[in-house]
Amino acid sequence: NAGVTQTPKFQVLKTGQSMTLQCAQDMNHNSMYWYRQDPGMGLRLIYYSASEGTTDKGEVPNGYNVSRLNKREFSLRLESAAPSQTSVYFCASSEWGTGGGSAKNIQYFGAGTRLSVL
Amino acid sequence: AQRVTQPEKLLSVFKGAPVELKCNYSYSGSPELFWYVQYSRQRLQLLLRHISRESIKGFTADLNKGETSFHLKKPFAQEEDSAMYYCALTPGGSEKLVFGKGMKLTVNP
């Protein structure tokens, strides 16, 4: 199993350009997430999807849109990139649920996308 | 609102020394607490979670509800423990994970 796969690994954009970050997981997880990681700020949740067909805002959603294309794929789109969006972006997935179970609620992360907006 | 605080950004110790990475949280309900680790050039991964009550790579963490803490401890640090460590919590009934700002541990030879 590949786990969580993100593309691209690196990207440089000019201010105002748009792009979509792709994420796919092969673990049949119901929940998927997008985070950004900035120095001194930790990981901050941008958007998440608890199940296919649903998406919800996280802590820092402004300037981003997401699409849960199917159970496997969850994409993040920057419509008009800004320098403040320069960051490392991580996708994650989990089998979320209550009632215990050692495999539940553990998030599995992709390798990240390093994005620079000039 | 839920919050995870890791009061120290950096910790540098020598091999064989004990380490304690502090984590405090604010949440009025019953959270689930985690420690995630990111080794150099590797993806973020789970180190341990409080409900498992197990030791991973010699690390342990005890949830102290009275002090709202979940400190990570290891009695004898190894060079391979050098990494970024993130404390995180899941509020009860939520799919979301709230991360602290992280702490960089460096274990010197």
Side-chain angles (χ1 to χ4, degrees):
Chain A
N1 289 348
V4 179
T5 303
Q6 288 183 237
T7 55
K9 288 186 168 50
F10 303 93
Q11 185 70 49
V12 179
L13 295 177
K14 294 181 180 178
T15 298
Q17 288 186 315
S18 62
M19 79 160 296
T20 299
L21 282 65
Q22 307 287 353
C23 176
Q25 52 94 6
D26 61 4
M27 294 174 282
N28 203 35
H29 286 165
N30 52 10
S31 298
M32 296 186 74
Y33 310 82
W34 276 106
Y35 296 90
R36 58 178 291 172
Q37 183 186 44
D38 301 291
M41 299 298 292
L43 277 84
R44 292 181 292 171
L45 183 64
I46 304 171
Y47 271 94
Y48 69 103
S49 171
S51 62
E52 186 178 351
T54 68
T55 61
D56 284 288
K57 294 179 180 179
E59 182 184 353
V60 288
N62 291 345
Y64 305 96
N65 286 301
V66 290
S67 295
R68 183 74 182 267
L69 305 170
N70 47 56
K71 192 171 186 179
R72 289 187 64 248
E73 298 172 289
F74 188 41
S75 63
L76 178 71
R77 182 160 178 83
L78 286 71
E79 290 290 352
S80 179
S84 61
Q85 295 178 305
T86 292
S87 187
V88 180
Y89 291 85
F90 288 99
C91 177
S93 71
S94 73
E95 185 62 26
W96 183 82
T98 57
S102 60
K104 287 190 175 177
N105 302 348
I106 297 171
Q107 292 197 11
Y108 295 85
F109 287 81
T113 296
R114 191 172 295 273
L115 175 67
S116 294
V117 183
L118 307 177
Chain B
Q2 311 87 20
R3 180 175 295 176
V4 177
T5 302
Q6 295 180 250
E8 299 160 326
K9 291 184 179 180
L10 301 168
L11 178 62
S12 182
V13 301
F14 287 103
K15 177 182 174 181
V19 292
E20 181 179 44
L21 286 66
K22 296 186 186 298
C23 173
N24 291 91
Y25 67 91
S26 62
Y27 178 62
S28 57
S30 295
E32 186 169 359
L33 274 294
F34 303 82
W35 277 99
Y36 280 81
V37 62
Q38 188 174 29
Y39 300 104
S40 179
R41 289 185 290 277
Q42 293 187 28
R43 60 187 68 192
L44 197 66
Q45 60 186 288
L46 177 71
L47 179 62
L48 54 79
R49 60 197 298 192
H50 87 272
I51 63 171
S52 297
R53 293 183 162 273
E54 55 188 351
S55 174
I56 304 293
K57 299 185 179 183
F59 285 97
T60 58
D62 292 317
L63 178 61
N64 185 322
K65 292 186 177 181
E67 295 183 358
T68 60
S69 68
F70 189 55
H71 303 326
L72 184 68
K73 301 177 183 179
K74 184 169 183 177
F76 307 103
Q78 303 299 313
E79 290 179 64
E80 55 265 31
D81 296 328
S82 296
M84 281 291 295
Y85 290 81
Y86 293 94
C87 184
L89 74 78
T90 294
S94 170
E95 308 92 339
K96 294 189 287 187
L97 200 56
V98 178
F99 282 89
K101 294 185 177 182
M103 177 179 178
K104 184 176 181 179
L105 172 65
T106 301
V107 181
N108 301 295

